[in-house]
Amino acid sequence: MADSFDFRNMLMDPSIPFKQIPFEGIVFGDFDSRKEGWFLTAREAPTPGEQEVIENVPFRQGNFDFSEYNGDRFFKQREIKYTLMYFGENGNYVDRKSIEQEIKRQLMPQTITELYDTHDTIYHWKGKVKSVEVEDDEKYGTLTATVVFDCYPFAIRNHDEFDDLWDEVYFPHWIFMDKRYEINGKTTVTYHNIGSRMVEVTLKVVSGSVSYGGMTINSGSSKFISVPKGKHDIEFDGNGVIELSAVREEMI
C-alpha cells in the first residue's frame, strides 16, 4: 500500500542548499526584512509614557491632573524594538559584513515613514529608526541585529475605517458601518468610534446640500468632524447624499 505514495526524504542532503524563507518580518521604506534574509526573532512594543500636566497646590491633598482633553489621554513617542537574525555561511565573514552594512544603510538614513509589522496585519506604525546594533557570531556564522524605532504612540489602520475590506476584518475588535448615507430632512447617523482616541471624520457631500452644526455644505465640498471615542449620534439636515471617511488609531 505504501508503494503507491511518494514520501519526502526527511534527511538533509548536504549537496542541496537549504532555502530559508522568513514568514515574520518588518517593512520600512524599501527595506523588507524577509526579502533581505533576516528572521524576526523578537519584538518589544511597550506602551508609551503619558505627557502629564500636573499641578500641586499647597495645603491640598493630592494634585490637579490636566493631562486629559475631551476624553483623551496624550502620550509621548513610542519605542519599538526588533531583534533580527541572519544565518550566513560558516566562515564567510565578507558576506556577513556586507549584510551588516546593508541593513544600516537601508534603515538609518530613512526619514519618518510607515513601519509595517506582520504581527499587526491591519495596522502600521509611523516613525524613524533610532539605532541599529549588529552582533557578529563568527562561530555559528550568524548576525543578530537589534533595531529600535522611535514611533508615533498609536498604531494606525492601513485603510479607511468605512471601507469594510473582508481581508482586514478582525472580528474580536470590529464593527461594520456604512460609508454612504442619504439625507432627507433631519437625519441621524450613528457612528461607533471603536478606536483608542478621537478620530477626524471627513464628511463629503456627494450630491445636494447638507447642514451640520449650523453650517451648510454643498455638493463637492467636505468638512472635518472630530468624534470622541464611543458611540455617537451625528445630526444632519437638508437633502443630499454624504460619504464618511476616517482612519482609526489604536493603542495596541
Side-chain angles (χ1 to χ4, degrees), residues 25-225:
I26 60 173
V27 177
F28 185 70
D30 294 330
F31 177 80
D32 187 330
S33 62
R34 298 162 298 179
K35 294 180 180 179
E36 299 294 334
W38 289 94
F39 284 77
L40 176 57
T41 60
R43 58 167 61 84
E44 298 177 30
T47 53
E50 185 178 12
Q51 300 193 56
E52 294 183 307
V53 181
I54 295 177
E55 294 293 337
N56 292 292
V57 178
F59 310 109
R60 182 189 184 278
Q61 305 293 347
N63 55 36
F64 288 104
D65 191 333
F66 300 100
S67 306
E68 300 178 12
Y69 180 73
N70 281 351
D72 278 354
R73 296 174 63 186
F74 296 84
F75 300 91
K76 299 175 182 178
Q77 287 286 94
R78 188 170 197 159
E79 188 171 280
I80 303 177
K81 182 166 69 174
Y82 296 96
T83 303
L84 305 168
M85 287 197 68
Y86 176 79
F87 298 89
E89 299 177 7
N90 290 341
N92 193 341
Y93 173 71
V94 175
D95 172 64
R96 298 197 307 278
K97 180 174 67 173
S98 174
I99 294 298
E100 176 181 352
Q101 293 176 351
E102 191 60 27
I103 189 173
K104 292 177 179 178
R105 183 182 296 114
Q106 291 193 52
L107 291 179
M108 286 306 299
Q110 178 67 52
T111 55
I112 295 174
T113 190
E114 292 78 11
L115 166 63
Y116 296 92
D117 183 342
T118 54
H119 180 264
D120 308 304
T121 56
I122 71 171
Y123 303 105
H124 66 270
W125 306 95
K126 195 162 188 178
K128 61 182 179 181
V129 176
K130 184 177 180 180
S131 65
V132 179
E133 297 182 15
V134 180
E135 180 181 345
D136 189 330
D137 191 323
E138 172 67 24
K139 180 179 179 181
Y140 295 104
T142 63
L143 294 174
T144 301
T146 302
V147 184
V148 180
F149 288 88
D150 180 56
C151 294
Y152 179 72
F154 293 91
I156 305 166
R157 195 185 158 198
N158 295 333
H159 295 97
D160 193 293
E161 181 69 353
F162 294 89
D163 293 338
D164 290 321
L165 303 176
W166 186 253
D167 289 343
E168 279 208 355
V169 174
Y170 180 64
F171 287 103
H173 185 67
W174 197 269
I175 186 166
F176 292 95
M177 291 180 290
D178 293 327
K179 184 177 183 68
R180 179 172 289 207
Y181 298 87
E182 186 173 346
I183 307 301
N184 291 312
K186 293 186 180 298
T187 305
T188 300
V189 173
T190 301
Y191 173 54
H192 297 258
N193 177 9
I194 63 172
S196 301
R197 64 177 299 269
M198 180 182 293
V199 64
E200 292 289 336
V201 178
T202 301
L203 159 65
K204 180 180 179 180
V205 177
V206 179
S207 64
S209 179
V210 175
S211 297
Y212 167 76
M215 178 181 293
T216 299
I217 310 166
N218 296 317
S219 177
S221 298
S222 300
K223 177 179 173 58
F224 293 105
I225 304 174

